[in-house]
Amino acid sequence: MASQLHFLLVPFMSQSHLIPFTHLAKLLASHGASAVVILTPLNAARYNMVIDQANASNLKIQFHIIPFPCLQAGLPEGCENLDTLPSLEYLPNFYAASNMLKEPLEEWLSQLEAKPSCIICDVCLPWTSSIASKFNIPRVVFHGISCFTLFCSHNIALSKVRESVTSMTKPFVVLDLPDRIEFTKAQLPDALKQDSKGWSDVLDQFKKAELSAQGVLVNSFEELEMLYVKGYEKVVKKVWCVGPLSLHDKLFLNKFGIDGDDNASIHDDSECFNFLNSRKPCSVIYVCFGSMSRFTTSLLKELAMGLEASNHAFIWVIGKKVCSQELEEWLAEENFEERNKGKGVLIRGWAPQVKILSHPAIGGFLTHCGWNSTLEAVAAGVPMITWPMFAEQFFNEKLIVQVLNIGVRVGIEVGVGNMETEHVLVKKEDVEKAIDKIMDQGVEGEQRRNRALELKEMTHKAVEEGGSSSSNCKLFLQHVMGQIHN
């Protein structure tokens, strides 16, 4: 019985990690298990609605709060989440602070009478392996990225491409993949393109901790990337694809009649949804770049002018990191919002992305290719315009455009870590051209839309009773049950 199982979830303190981790906690609890999620004070405050939802549906979910050692790690006070860093120069300090969570977590575990049945840890926190060993607790690694990315990254590291590729812009083929996939060194995540011993050591720690785990849980589903799932199964002990967790969560909330909107500023009768309700099916472009993306004002101007120049309606989410005084002044000077009244809506800050993507009026999604956003678009059956920037986003672009055939590139060739350079990497014309292509009513556009709808159907089947992700979740629970009875 899953009710005997008690899971400890240890996420990395970043939105792209915390969102699927909290969804995973709800999924496990919906099967009768209990789950404790390790959070820091400010992150716990952000996710209070998870506890409210758990209480409303009689799920056994708790938070255990550990202070985040900002000052000790040389971080400004209150920088408990990656998206609160004033600059990505603080990233090493943030990792250092994350590693300092080991001791208080270990101390808390030592005081527990009943130890967890299993630790589900973030791949970015390899020190959890020593804690699991110390207390003899089974451990699995949770990946909030695709098996495509995992398998590509593994094969790139294995082929020693960091040593063999000297040019940052010369394409190379990733060996031993089901498809012909090329990258340039400039498109790789920092850890893969750096030749420094420091990064190499970090990657080695991550890989060692992953290989010593009993297996990996992945926020993906088998039908989406079957050949890459099979490829990665040869690398680790076991792979359980249990995603998309955002869709599990949506179905869970619907089942219990819970409003999943944790931000009361945008409701069904808001300007955003009134606008969508007034548009024809598949006629609106949705533009959103996640919580970590940082743009120069010059680049945002090109984006704005490209949206305006296209013949299609749009909703543009301007994230908190992007809401600069300089941009607002330019928008005001240009009278941009008034000039595009009836054609476009600007949302500043947070937006209910899953809800917007699910609206019939949405015909395309201009995205940074974060994995959570990618899965949300796949689940909604929405084709994508890809604008990757950093981390594994170029990997996701290759999957979207080349493997799944549900995307169009805006044309970014070089990853820019924090987007704080003054280079204009995308022009107005690039944006306009990509929008026209994704909304194309010809044969190519129709094929892309049909493929996106096929994947949507596959996605929903995967999370339903008897579907691959639903079955994998049960198999995972059975595996852990077998461990505690051994």
Side-chain angles (χ1 to χ4, degrees), residues 358-390:
S358 301
H359 197 283
I362 297 297
F365 178 18
L366 177 46
T367 173
H368 64 306
C369 305
W371 187 238
N372 291 331
S373 291
T374 299
L375 282 177
E376 287 164 9
V378 169
V382 177
M384 286 168 265
I385 299 171
T386 59
W387 187 326
M389 298 174 200
F390 53 84

Side-chain angles (χ1 to χ4, degrees), residues 435-452:
I435 291 174
D436 287 344
K437 194 171 180 184
I438 205 77
M439 304 299 267
D440 168 45
Q441 295 303 308
V443 175
E444 187 184 331
E446 192 65 28
Q447 287 175 341
R448 198 180 293 115
R449 279 187 289 277
N450 288 339
R451 177 66 179 145

